[in-house]
Amino acid sequence: MRWIERALACAALAALPAAAQQSPAAPSAHFVVVLDAAHGGTDPGGRLAGGQAEKAATLALSVRLRSLLAARGIAVVTTRESDTTLDPNSRAAIANHAKAQVCLSLHVSESGSGVHLFVSSLAPAQSSLFLPWKTAQAALVTRSLALAGALNASLQHAGLNVTLGRTSLPGLDSMTCPAVAVELAPERAQDGTVTAEPDDADYRAKAAAALAAAVLEFRLEPRQP
Amino acid sequence: MIPRYQRVILIVLLAASLAMAGILWHLRQRAHQRLLAGEDSAPTQAPEVAPAEQATLVAASDADGSLLAQDRSLPLPADPGARARVLLGKLLDLYAAPDAAHPVPGGAPGIAQVFLLPAPGPKDPQTPDAELAVVNLTGAFAASHPSGIETESLTVLSICATLRANLPRVTQVRFLVDGQPRPTLAGHADLTRTYLTADAVPTGGTTP
Ligand SMILES: [Zn+2]
């Protein structure tokens, strides 16, 4: 993927002077992951082929991923544990309050194939003491691209088809943590026929395991400010 | 007792004002009809007499999230707004075809209008005559659009990229649905923001 290579190269370049100016932040003793099951309550999201609403599928994925991470001793904060309505600002507020090192916004879709990873389309900006709410993610975009790189590698390693992109999502753009929107789409054969739906338990487990492995990998990566 | 001549004047004035009101009402109706007729006459189908021109449709593919530029020979109207509408209609026709790489039902009727306005904000010396395209989608198109970050983003980006490829003066794109602002296309892609066509470039579908 061309954009991510370029972005990672930029990230590496940008990190050089920054690292010289300030001492690298010590690895947090408390590594926190925020899982945001998208939609919920009055917002059903999309609908899967089997009739399940996206809001239910994202919650199932969040629950699965939470238990995988918790089993490895990682602190997990979830934006919702039940079918409740949450606006994008509340989701970002939960994520920002948790001072998380990884934020994953989970979506499920019937379109496309494999796993779609989206990083905010905001242009990377210098971090400062005060960040404008709507574009707070701009200061973290470089780290978010690194997180997307780790997720991409792990998902591909698990044999899943990955598509990378940039987009503007209100909740994601306000998060002050390395944040990636993960959209689980059906697994498809070469000719486009669906081999596993996103509500297939085995397929969901495979994707969740690959995401959890990527988070563990990302925890060990040296942190940049 | 009111003098007779005053009564005559009053009646004449009353008749004149009634006649003027009638004429005004008639003119207003005529202007309204003209406006409606003008909207209707914006062609969805390019007239057959228009000479075929080279045009580029930048079409999305869900399989790899790519934007692929395809050159087409199409009869296009001269008016830039009508031209944009025909081009985007052709793009949506691709998406409505069976076995489309980015399936979205609806086709060309999904584009109600495209308005071209001078781009707001500070003038860029590189593009002093930059334009903002306001793409008015139909409610039926938005309602039937598949839901998902990738699919919705690709529709938005391919519209921006197609406008950029054919109307280089268009640097910004905004979206309306049935003439009204709308938060998202189908639950994901943000329709409240202004998109920059510079961010929507064909990938060619290749992954080096
Ligand atoms: Zn969603």
Side-chain angles (χ1 to χ4, degrees):
Chain A
M1 288 291 157
R2 228 174 321 160
W3 68 262
I4 196 146
E5 279 170 11
R6 241 181 278 147
L8 292 177
C10 290
L13 285 174
L16 284 177
Q21 282 158 17
Q22 43 196 127
S23 58
S28 169
H30 203 57
F31 187 85
V32 180
V33 174
V34 168
L35 298 179
D36 171 35
H39 312 287
T42 55
D43 168 19
R47 193 158 287 281
L48 301 183
Q52 192 183 37
E54 185 188 356
K55 63 176 183 177
T58 61
L59 187 59
L61 183 59
S62 170
V63 168
R64 177 89 202 179
L65 196 46
R66 186 196 56 193
S67 49
L68 286 174
L69 291 170
R72 288 163 177 82
I74 289 177
V76 178
V77 173
T78 54
T79 54
R80 67 181 178 97
E81 286 288 326
S82 58
D83 186 18
T84 46
T85 306
L86 266 180
D87 63 73
N89 284 339
S90 311
R91 293 171 194 273
I94 293 169
N96 297 350
H97 186 73
K99 300 203 185 318
Q101 282 77 40
V102 167
C103 292
L104 299 179
S105 188
L106 305 171
H107 290 256
V108 176
S109 173
E110 201 52 51
S111 295
S113 70
V115 182
H116 312 144
L117 301 177
F118 285 93
V119 173
S120 166
S121 54
L122 293 168
Q126 282 287 313
S127 184
S128 65
L129 198 54
F130 298 103
L131 299 168
W133 178 259
K134 279 189 158 181
T135 58
Q137 175 63 203
L140 276 301
V141 160
T142 306
R143 279 298 279 163
S144 299
L145 288 167
L147 175 60
L151 295 168
N152 178 29
S154 178
L155 289 161
Q156 293 221 25
H157 184 72
L160 290 152
N161 178 41
V162 182
T163 312
L164 296 157
R166 304 285 297 266
T167 193
S168 168
L169 290 172
L172 200 72
D173 284 355
S174 298
M175 289 184 182
T176 56
C177 44
V180 174
V182 178
E183 185 172 70
L184 183 65
E187 187 177 57
R188 288 180 198 269
Q190 282 290 332
D191 63 355
T193 52
V194 174
T195 51
E197 287 288 351
D199 54 357
D200 177 297
D202 288 344
Y203 178 49
R204 187 160 57 209
K206 185 161 100 167
L211 293 172
V215 170
L216 290 168
E217 189 69 30
F218 187 70
R219 181 166 68 155
L220 302 175
E221 276 185 24
R223 291 223 294 137
Q224 288 136 17
Chain B
M1 186 66 193
I2 304 166
R4 186 185 156 80
Y5 78 93
Q6 279 188 351
R7 247 187 291 168
V8 170
I9 288 172
L10 194 73
I11 289 163
V12 167
L13 283 174
L14 203 68
S17 64
L18 280 174
M20 270 158 65
I23 289 166
L24 270 175
W25 174 254
H26 178 69
L27 285 177
R28 188 197 160 275
Q29 286 295 97
R30 262 227 319 241
H32 187 63
Q33 291 297 334
R34 233 190 353 246
L35 205 72
L36 287 181
E39 259 177 31
D40 281 343
S41 69
T44 34
Q45 292 291 316
E48 286 307 311
V49 287
E53 293 175 54
Q54 276 303 112
T56 306
L57 301 180
V58 184
S61 166
D62 287 356
D64 56 358
S66 63
L67 294 175
L68 255 173
Q70 311 178 0
D71 287 332
R72 291 292 173 92
S73 182
L74 297 171
L76 292 171
D79 173 66
R83 215 177 161 83
R85 186 184 179 200
V86 170
L87 284 162
L88 296 184
K90 291 285 175 198
L91 180 69
L92 297 196
D93 278 342
L94 286 182
Y95 296 161
D99 299 332
H102 174 64
V104 181
I111 307 286
Q113 288 107 6
V114 181
F115 305 104
L116 299 177
L117 312 166
K123 286 259 177 289
D124 179 359
Q126 299 280 313
T127 49
D129 49 4
E131 287 178 325
L132 162 76
V134 180
V135 179
N136 186 20
L137 302 168
T138 62
F141 177 77
S144 62
H145 197 289
S147 180
I149 308 174
E150 188 198 48
T151 176
E152 293 174 45
S153 301
L154 284 177
T155 295
V156 167
L157 286 178
S158 63
I159 286 175
C160 293
T162 297
L163 288 172
R164 176 189 160 96
N166 299 283
L167 302 155
R169 284 206 289 207
V170 173
T171 58
Q172 303 178 17
V173 182
R174 284 191 72 88
F175 290 88
L176 297 172
V177 176
D178 280 344
Q180 300 291 323
R182 188 176 152 118
T184 63
L185 180 53
H188 298 88
D190 187 359
L191 291 194
T192 62
R193 60 177 285 224
T194 301
Y195 286 87
L196 301 178
T197 56
D199 293 340
V201 282
T203 53
T206 51
T207 46

